[in-house]
Amino acid sequence: MVDSRPVEADPGVIRRKRQCEGCGRRFYTWESTMNPIRHRANARAARERWRAKHPPEVKAEKRRLNDLRYEAKRHAAETNQPVAKVMRAWNVPPPPSQSQRSPA
């Protein structure tokens, strides 16, 4: 590390100037701490927003599908079959991709 100093705009962030020992190239890294209490509070608030927005039937169906996917993975591991093949045989839809998920 060549230099280390706090960022003026955010005192919780430290900017460090580093140098590669192999090639001598210099670069910056930014490091900050995470507030675990605020992180948990934000996650809890997001869960509550989701629960308030979705009726109990939607939650029950989501839990049922997640349980089926879990069992399909276990069955696939026990029988040495691809998970996708087991899920198709059980008529279990694949989990939504990250782009299909609704924002929290």
Side-chain angles (χ1 to χ4, degrees):
M1 180 173 39
V2 178
D3 184 27
S4 176
R5 62 182 69 184
V7 175
E8 293 129 10
D10 187 358
V13 177
I14 298 172
R15 183 180 80 168
R16 299 190 193 279
K17 185 188 284 185
R18 300 180 183 269
Q19 184 169 356
C20 175
E21 294 177 358
C23 67
R25 181 176 163 262
R26 290 186 175 195
F27 58 94
Y28 289 100
T29 60
W30 286 266
E31 300 170 12
S32 67
T33 58
M34 181 185 77
N35 182 341
I37 295 169
R38 184 174 37 178
H39 181 73
R40 274 188 300 238
N42 289 345
R44 191 177 306 115
R47 277 193 307 274
E48 291 304 320
R49 283 192 305 271
W50 189 89
R51 286 181 182 135
K53 191 168 59 170
H54 293 83
E57 311 83 57
V58 172
K59 294 179 227 174
E61 180 64 10
K62 182 175 180 178
R63 180 170 286 123
R64 185 186 74 79
L65 288 174
N66 283 339
D67 290 346
L68 274 174
R69 289 183 192 113
Y70 175 77
E71 290 300 323
K73 287 178 186 177
R74 287 185 56 201
H75 182 77
E78 290 171 1
T79 59
N80 292 324
Q81 293 180 359
V83 177
K85 181 178 178 182
V86 173
M87 290 175 68
R88 275 193 305 273
W90 291 6
N91 293 322
V92 178
S97 68
Q98 195 67 24
S99 62
Q100 293 173 331
R101 292 182 183 157
S102 60

